[in-house]
Amino acid sequence: MLLNLKIYKIISFLLLIDIIAIVWFLTIGDKIGLLISAILFLTFLTMQVFLVKCSNCGTRPGLWILAIWTLFLDFELYFADTVLLKACPKCEFDLHKT
Ligand SMILES: [Zn+2]
């Protein structure tokens, strides 16, 4: 679980870098580059959502955080939350334990 949490946070940074890549490909009008970075973005996001699971209540914290911040359309806070993720958002179980 601890390793998964580390991978989870690394993916957050990969997502940020990927967003920069998407913006860059948009700017230069490279459609293939844009397509590849968009696919990568979705892949990273899916991995992130399914990577961490609370061993206390079975919730997937990644899915919760994604759902909450998509609702508020605030991706800055989404990244802040993923990087700072320590406890389950539902039962507040410490994800570093297990
Ligand atoms: Zn939980």
Side-chain angles (χ1 to χ4, degrees), residues 49-62:
V49 163
F50 289 102
L51 199 60
V52 181
K53 191 178 178 187
C54 174
S55 56
N56 188 42
C57 68
T59 298
R60 293 195 180 276

Side-chain angles (χ1 to χ4, degrees), residues 59-78:
T59 298
R60 293 195 180 276
L63 194 61
W64 269 63
I65 296 172
L66 183 66
I68 291 165
W69 295 120
T70 305
L71 208 67
F72 291 108
L73 289 174
D74 198 330
F75 280 95
E76 262 171 58
L77 279 172
Y78 172 71

Side-chain angles (χ1 to χ4, degrees), residues 54-59 61 88-93 95:
C54 174
S55 56
N56 188 42
C57 68
T59 298
C88 170
K90 191 180 176 190
C91 66
E92 297 191 345
F93 178 77
L95 294 169

